[in-house]
Amino acid sequence: MTTTSERTLVNYTVTDGVAVIELTNPPANTYSHEMMRQLDEAILQARFDENVHVLLLRGSGEKFFCAGAEISMLNAVTPTFKYYFCLHANETLNRLEQTPKLVIAALNGHTVGGGLEIALACDIRIARRNAGKVGLPEINLGVLPGTGGTQRLARALPKNRAIELMTEGKLISFEEALDLSLINYIYDSEGYWDKVMEYAKSFCPPNKAARTVGRIKRSVQSGSEVAFSEALAIERELQQLCFQSEDAKEGLAAYVEKRKGNFSGR
């Protein structure tokens, strides 16, 4: 996908129900407003494609998932541009987080600053062993993590640990991040991408009721931000949509007939 400048900063491909969204801006896959607009477009494209059941984000190359915003760009633009740049980045990551399809981040390398903020907007994070560090070191630039970092990290960790990591500008290994539950899995480097793809495809038909996966995500994401009684109402409405689906009929019948469900994503 390209903009008027014809620079491709986000590659988008679909394989077996998985939309692979690759950030590509060597050497560190840092993002500009141009890249964020292409990422936004890719998210919308995956939303509307009924053949896409899972979104999978990765960085190009071996060393970086993403090292955040381009510092040289931020240093050159006006405060007004910075404000709208951050606003659009917030809106893009909110769109990613609220998309009712599972979103997996493949942390193939260093995931710092805005790169971690992108990863935090994903549902499941899978790192490559011994391949990098994570953290929000914006304090060293005299600014705060401004693409949702202060909010999502404080929801992912105990508040005191989130403040510690951000105010100290601490970078931690993937293994430490796993211990903190900031990431879900670490896969060995050998065969890493194949294993990540295999995992992503496990949520696609016929393996899983993909729309139900998306509704579980939507129930959690929407329900966690409202009162408990309202969250239960959201859950009930989404459950009713599941009850009306072909996959629910198949899943219930498969259980009664003692066989594996063959889901269609409908």
Side-chain angles (χ1 to χ4, degrees), residues 29-58:
N29 300 323
T30 52
Y31 62 80
S32 56
H33 180 53
E34 186 180 16
M35 178 189 277
M36 196 57 68
R37 288 179 65 174
Q38 291 184 31
L39 176 59
D40 203 1
E41 183 183 342
I43 293 164
L44 290 171
Q45 190 169 342
R47 274 189 176 189
F48 278 90
D49 190 342
E50 293 188 8
N51 295 314
V52 167
H53 305 289
V54 176
L55 285 69
L56 178 56
L57 271 68
R58 64 164 294 168

Side-chain angles (χ1 to χ4, degrees), residues 51-266:
N51 295 314
V52 167
H53 305 289
V54 176
L55 285 69
L56 178 56
L57 271 68
R58 64 164 294 168
S60 65
E62 296 288 319
K63 294 184 177 180
F64 286 90
F65 171 76
C66 175
E70 289 182 359
I71 305 304
S72 58
M73 177 273 296
L74 289 176
N75 188 50
V77 298
T78 66
T80 299
F81 184 93
K82 291 185 182 79
Y83 176 82
Y84 286 111
F85 169 71
C86 288
L87 175 59
H88 176 256
N90 283 157
E91 292 166 339
T92 297
L93 296 190
N94 285 346
R95 213 176 331 273
L96 183 66
E97 190 171 54
Q98 294 298 326
T99 294
K101 299 182 181 185
L102 193 70
V103 181
I104 299 171
L107 309 184
N108 51 299
H110 296 298
T111 305
V112 297
L116 179 56
E117 290 177 301
I118 292 172
L120 285 170
C122 300
D123 304 308
I124 293 175
R125 293 173 283 279
I126 304 175
R128 187 164 63 92
R129 191 175 303 281
N130 299 320
K133 293 182 179 294
V134 302
L136 296 173
E138 284 87 345
I139 185 66
N140 297 321
L141 301 174
V143 299
L144 56 75
T147 313
T150 62
Q151 302 308 303
R152 289 192 176 93
L153 193 66
R155 285 163 168 77
L157 296 177
K159 192 183 299 183
N160 65 315
R161 292 308 302 271
I163 292 173
E164 171 198 329
L165 287 174
M166 287 185 282
T167 57
E168 293 183 7
K170 186 182 295 185
L171 299 181
I172 61 175
S173 68
F174 286 153
E175 288 71 22
E176 291 173 288
L178 180 66
D179 290 339
L180 291 174
S181 297
L182 263 183
I183 61 176
N184 298 78
Y185 301 105
I186 294 179
Y187 291 170
D188 289 335
S189 291
E190 186 176 351
Y192 169 76
W193 183 243
D194 290 339
K195 293 171 189 172
V196 170
M197 281 296 293
E198 181 181 2
Y199 180 77
K201 290 176 185 178
S202 74
F203 294 98
C204 298
N207 304 303
K208 285 281 197 307
R211 288 193 180 181
T212 301
V213 172
R215 286 166 183 156
I216 289 171
K217 167 186 174 168
R218 186 177 170 196
S219 186
V220 171
Q221 294 288 11
S222 299
S224 63
E225 300 299 326
V226 300
F228 187 64
S229 59
E230 295 171 347
L232 290 176
I234 291 171
E235 183 183 83
R236 285 194 301 274
E237 294 303 316
L238 291 169
Q239 178 71 303
Q240 184 60 19
L241 291 176
C242 292
F243 282 146
Q244 294 170 350
S245 70
E246 292 181 19
D247 278 344
K249 294 176 184 177
E250 165 62 13
L252 293 169
Y255 180 84
V256 170
E257 296 164 12
K258 295 181 171 56
R259 61 177 174 82
K260 184 179 179 180
N262 184 33
F263 298 107
S264 64
R266 294 190 295 271

